[in-house]
Amino acid sequence: MKLARRLQAIKPSPTLALNSRAKALVAQGVDVAVLAAGEPDFDTPDYVKQAAVEAIRSGFTKYTPTNGIPELREAVCRKLERENGLKFTPDQVLITAGGKQALYNLCQAVLDEGDEVLIFSPYWVSYPDMVHLASGTPVIVPTREENGFAPDPDSIRRALTPRTRAVIINSPGNPTGAVYSRAALEGIAEALRSHDCLIITDDIYEKLLYTDERLGISDVAPDLVPRLVVINALSKSHAMTGWRMGYVAGPKPLVSAMQLIQDQSTSNASSIGQKAALAALQGPADTITTMVAEYRVRRDLIVGGLNALDGIRCRMPEGAFYAFADVRGLYGRNYKGKPVTGSMQLSEILLDDFRVAAVPGDPFGAEGYIRMSFATSREVLKKGLGRVAELVQALR
Ligand SMILES: Cc1ncc(COP(=O)(O)O)c(C=O)c1O
């Protein structure tokens, strides 16, 4: 069958694929330590569920305006002002089916064929593919672990061209868990100041923090706010991945264009989900604080455990829920008579022979690394660590 040409550059999400394979094994009764998931293992807070139940009971089950119910867009504006110091009006906000739809619509709204988007690697796997789906060109700017995975301003400058339409910032980041320092953000701002492009900040992990301070680009460069686009979702902060609730705030013409795309594709995000999202945005912070306290314990557990293994080195992430381990120290050692040469191969060995699901770094643009999620129980983490240790011992 003939399929659209722009699909040729698209790969299925490797994280979803690995997760599905691991889940299929679990369904067959295999005891897999699943460290692949990018979603909280916590349940959605009760007050959020109650709001959804109330929406269903009261018959709030019909179409809403495409851009979302006014009270939710107002709540998003209040949140952005209170927590991020950003002033947006409700007509600059679009409610979407998760952060993914916000990013997807954004790419569709701004990119023409060959338009470029700067993406810092290691990056979330979907960024380049969303750009490809809009016939754009992802331009990868590598970062270094020694610099806290923050981009060097000179490499940003070198990557900028007249076709650069946008830059994506993701701090805390997936897969690294890195939170950009003030100096790093200032460097990015300085490099972008003279180039008129959109600055997209994907803040989906902003609440999952193990450090006292997390700044946004707008905190260090208020002059860039007119071209700032904020993407966020309740997925990670409120353990609401399945609800598909996200939002975007940005320049009005852009948000209106994104709304047009949504008008002709999916229309409004679920009416019930919107009521739940409203409750989440207005709700108490203590459920998040409790989750973050537990994530912190797990982070220390897995990072400490990985660093105790010969050949593995893992930077302490300041946010999100991923340990991003450098496994290059294992390369060249033999497993069943064959040398280990890559992260994909290592992930396959881990799943097939040691029953650990971990995602290879390669699809994140970071060959040499493996991502392990600590959004799972301490028991599963300990089991997973024990099995990774067995693999390390089995290498010759
Ligand atoms: C960096 C980043 N941005 C956006 C998303 C999208 O999240 P969702 O569409 O589930 O809200 C994810 C999900 O894993 C992510 O890791």
Side-chain angles (χ1 to χ4, degrees):
M1 189 195 293
K2 185 191 171 299
L3 298 174
R5 211 168 337 137
R6 63 183 174 282
L7 279 177
Q8 284 168 6
I10 314 297
K11 297 172 289 305
S13 161
T15 45
L16 291 182
L18 202 101
N19 224 0
S20 315
R21 236 182 101 198
K23 278 185 179 158
L25 285 172
V26 172
Q28 289 164 25
V30 182
D31 166 32
V32 181
V34 181
L35 309 181
E39 67 180 345
D41 58 322
F42 294 102
D43 199 359
T44 302
D46 224 41
Y47 67 89
V48 175
K49 291 184 184 175
Q50 284 305 329
V53 170
E54 178 53 31
I56 294 171
R57 291 235 162 90
S58 66
F60 195 74
T61 52
K62 303 284 164 43
Y63 291 132
T64 75
T66 295
N67 56 352
I69 53 176
E71 58 270 41
L72 179 55
R73 285 181 286 116
E74 280 156 20
V76 167
C77 291
R78 283 196 298 276
K79 180 267 175 223
L80 291 172
E81 180 154 16
R82 188 177 63 237
E83 297 180 4
N84 307 93
L86 289 166
K87 279 197 165 61
F88 286 102
T89 50
D91 59 359
Q92 291 181 284
V93 173
L94 174 67
I95 307 300
T96 56
K100 252 185 181 170
Q101 192 187 20
L103 282 157
Y104 178 85
N105 287 355
L106 175 56
C107 291
Q108 295 294 325
V110 296
L111 299 179
D112 279 322
E113 196 166 344
D115 280 346
E116 296 169 0
V117 178
L118 298 198
I119 297 171
F120 307 137
S121 73
Y123 46 75
W124 178 42
V125 288
S126 293
Y127 292 145
D129 284 333
M130 288 198 195
V131 172
H132 279 305
L133 271 173
S135 305
T137 305
V139 174
I140 307 303
V141 178
T143 68
R144 294 152 71 99
E145 185 178 329
E146 306 87 273
N147 301 338
F149 290 115
D152 162 35
D154 280 335
S155 48
I156 299 178
R157 274 187 207 99
R158 276 195 300 275
L160 288 167
T161 76
R163 303 243 28 199
T164 310
R165 296 296 320 279
V167 175
I168 306 180
I169 299 172
N170 177 217
S171 162
N174 177 6
T176 62
V179 173
Y180 291 165
S181 66
R182 177 182 287 275
L185 289 165
E186 281 170 352
I188 297 172
E190 195 48 47
L192 296 178
R193 195 157 270 129
S194 58
H195 190 94
D196 184 19
C197 63
L198 291 172
I199 300 172
I200 303 166
T201 178
D202 177 352
D203 293 348
I204 194 159
Y205 293 102
E206 71 175 346
K207 294 212 183 284
L208 308 187
L209 276 190
Y210 318 109
T211 167
D212 293 339
E213 188 179 59
R214 181 248 172 214
L215 296 170
I217 188 91
S218 52
D219 295 309
V220 305
D223 57 310
L224 299 182
V225 170
R227 48 190 170 110
L228 186 71
V229 187
V230 182
I231 305 278
N232 211 330
L234 285 312
S235 309
K236 319 283 177 175
S237 59
H238 290 74
M240 287 177 68
T241 43
W243 296 74
R244 313 306 304 130
M245 294 311 307
Y247 57 87
V248 54
K252 190 163 176 331
L254 171 67
V255 173
S256 301
M258 291 172 67
Q259 180 181 335
L260 192 63
I261 291 162
Q262 203 163 303
D263 271 334
Q264 303 299 11
S265 52
T266 57
S267 297
N268 58 277
S270 143
S271 59
I272 300 155
Q274 290 188 58
K275 288 288 188 181
L278 180 61
L281 285 175
Q282 292 174 337
D286 57 346
T287 43
I288 300 174
T289 316
T290 310
M291 288 192 250
V292 171
E294 176 60 23
Y295 285 138
R296 181 193 289 271
V297 174
R298 297 171 182 183
R299 173 194 74 151
D300 295 347
L301 177 79
I302 189 161
V303 173
L306 288 169
N307 279 322
L309 300 176
D310 170 39
I312 300 186
R313 234 178 18 81
C314 187
R315 178 181 179 275
M316 190 60 90
E318 300 96 357
F321 42 51
Y322 306 109
F324 200 53
D326 182 343
V327 290
R328 282 170 296 185
L330 303 178
Y331 289 9
R333 299 187 198 171
N334 290 311
Y335 179 69
K336 291 187 174 165
K338 273 216 237 134
V340 172
T341 53
S343 61
M344 201 75 93
Q345 179 199 9
L346 210 50
S347 279
E348 277 167 11
I349 296 172
L350 273 172
L351 186 58
D352 295 339
D353 291 3
F354 294 87
R355 290 164 292 127
V356 176
V359 191
D362 185 49
F364 298 102
E367 175 44 38
Y369 288 80
I370 280 198
R371 191 195 78 174
M372 292 182 206
S373 163
F374 47 89
T376 187
S377 69
R378 298 183 203 183
E379 293 72 58
V380 171
L381 289 176
K382 283 182 199 155
K383 188 157 59 179
L385 274 172
R387 292 177 184 178
V388 177
E390 282 172 34
L391 163 68
V392 173
Q393 272 179 1
L395 297 175
R396 297 277 162 263

